[in-house]
Amino acid sequence: MNRLLTTLLAVVLIGVTAPTQGTATGGLTEFPTGGVRPSDIVAGPDGNLWFTEPGSSRIGSITPNGAVTGFTQGLSADSWPWGITVGPDGNIWFTEWQADQIGR
């Protein structure tokens, strides 16, 4: 399952990276996520892709070059973030499934 999610992440990246990232040849570019299990993903207003990591209760971002950063500050312990979107205010919004909350 982790390989499938990583591949899905890479497929989304193909749609937003410059041709120099391998999209000109139609090839697939994969970026390792550092052992996390990404779930939902959204293109952020900052040019990065943002994703949820339910099992580790983190929100992650990945740059077009593949640099992954995880965020836990402000999330409830065992919150299982799930579902993520960009709001009309330009912020990243997500649900905390286990905590019954919405985060920004």
Side-chain angles (χ1 to χ4, degrees), residues 13-79:
L13 280 170
I14 286 174
V16 297
T17 55
T20 58
Q21 294 296 319
T23 59
T25 61
L28 177 70
T29 303
E30 293 183 320
F31 297 99
T33 58
V36 301
R37 296 185 179 204
S39 180
D40 301 319
I41 188 167
V42 66
D46 58 358
N48 296 329
L49 295 174
W50 290 80
F51 54 93
T52 58
E53 301 174 33
S56 60
S57 294
R58 296 190 321 176
I59 300 294
S61 74
I62 184 168
T63 67
N65 295 330
V68 176
T69 304
F71 301 91
T72 58
Q73 185 175 0
L75 273 75
S76 304
D78 298 321
S79 63

Side-chain angles (χ1 to χ4, degrees), residues 87-99:
D89 59 356
N91 288 306
I92 304 294
W93 291 83
F94 55 93
T95 61
E96 290 184 89
W97 187 64
Q98 289 285 67

Side-chain angles (χ1 to χ4, degrees), residues 1-8 37-38:
M1 187 66 155
N2 190 24
R3 175 87 172 146
L4 173 63
L5 292 174
T6 301
T7 301
L8 289 173
R37 296 185 179 204

